[in-house]
């Protein structure tokens, strides 16, 4: 049974930074494409960043240059370093896994079969 557990969310002022983590278990982690999604109240869940099994990454235009996704296959952990945070980054952030080598931020949430419970990120002064 696949388990994804996010941590690292919280409240931060605009311009601040946060690092999200996602601990994965119950899967051959190195064989999965991984992604971070977010969902704000009243909005659809959107892809923020993805990392393929070969560590190739893709980003939503809204976070390029500010967010960095990375994976540690030895520790079965996914990370999202978020810098220069803006109020519009406020959302619930979810870790997701796709049982395939490749994925991109252009794919819908439905392409990912396993999800964490989410961690809240609030950016406010």
């Amino acid at each position: 049974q696949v388990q994804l557990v996010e941590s690292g969310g919280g409240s931060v002022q605009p311009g601040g930074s946060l690092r999200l983590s996602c601990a994965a278990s119950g899967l051959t982690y190195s064989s999965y494409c991984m992604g971070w999604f977010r969902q704000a109240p009243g909005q659809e869940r959107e892809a923020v960043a993805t990392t393929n099994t070969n560590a190739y990454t893709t980003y939503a235009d809204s976070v390029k240059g500010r967010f960095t996704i990375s994976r540690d296959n030895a520790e079965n952990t996914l990370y999202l370093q978020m810098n220069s945070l803006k109020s519009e980054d406020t959302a619930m952030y979810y870790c997701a896994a796709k049982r395939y080598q490749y994925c991109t931020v252009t794919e819908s949430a439905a392409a990912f079969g396993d999800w964490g419970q989410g961690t809240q990120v609030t950016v406010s002064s």
Side-chain angles (χ1 to χ4, degrees), residues 15-56:
S17 298
L18 283 173
R19 189 193 197 202
L20 306 184
S21 299
C22 171
S25 60
L27 75 169
T28 306
Y29 181 74
S30 60
S31 298
Y32 279 67
C33 192
M34 300 296 296
W36 286 99
F37 285 72
R38 66 186 180 187
Q39 187 168 21
Q43 297 188 20
E44 290 189 2
R45 192 168 295 191
E46 63 173 355
V48 173
T50 64
T51 175
N52 289 348
T53 57
N54 63 1
Y56 179 80

Side-chain angles (χ1 to χ4, degrees), residues 10-18 66 82-90 121-125:
S11 295
V12 65
Q13 292 187 340
S17 298
L18 283 173
R66 300 189 298 122
M82 304 186 295
N83 299 328
S84 302
L85 282 161
K86 305 175 181 180
S87 58
E88 51 263 43
D89 295 318
T90 295
V121 171
T122 301
V123 185
S124 173
S125 55

Side-chain angles (χ1 to χ4, degrees), residues 1-122:
Q1 181 179 351
V2 176
Q3 260 199 317
L4 303 173
V5 180
E6 302 97 334
S7 60
S11 295
V12 65
Q13 292 187 340
S17 298
L18 283 173
R19 189 193 197 202
L20 306 184
S21 299
C22 171
S25 60
L27 75 169
T28 306
Y29 181 74
S30 60
S31 298
Y32 279 67
C33 192
M34 300 296 296
W36 286 99
F37 285 72
R38 66 186 180 187
Q39 187 168 21
Q43 297 188 20
E44 290 189 2
R45 192 168 295 191
E46 63 173 355
V48 173
T50 64
T51 175
N52 289 348
T53 57
N54 63 1
Y56 179 80
T57 58
T58 69
Y59 295 92
D61 287 344
S62 59
V63 307
K64 275 181 184 175
R66 300 189 298 122
F67 290 11
T68 302
I69 187 172
S70 60
R71 63 189 299 159
D72 184 335
N73 287 347
E75 297 293 330
N76 286 9
T77 304
L78 181 72
Y79 300 100
L80 185 68
Q81 178 66 44
M82 304 186 295
N83 299 328
S84 302
L85 282 161
K86 305 175 181 180
S87 58
E88 51 263 43
D89 295 318
T90 295
M92 185 72 79
Y93 282 71
Y94 298 91
C95 171
K98 179 182 176 184
R99 193 176 180 180
Y100 191 60
Q101 292 175 294
Y102 308 112
C103 57
T104 74
V105 292
T106 61
E107 297 181 62
S108 71
F112 291 74
D114 297 287
W115 293 84
Q117 82 290 347
T119 185
Q120 178 67 38
V121 171
T122 301

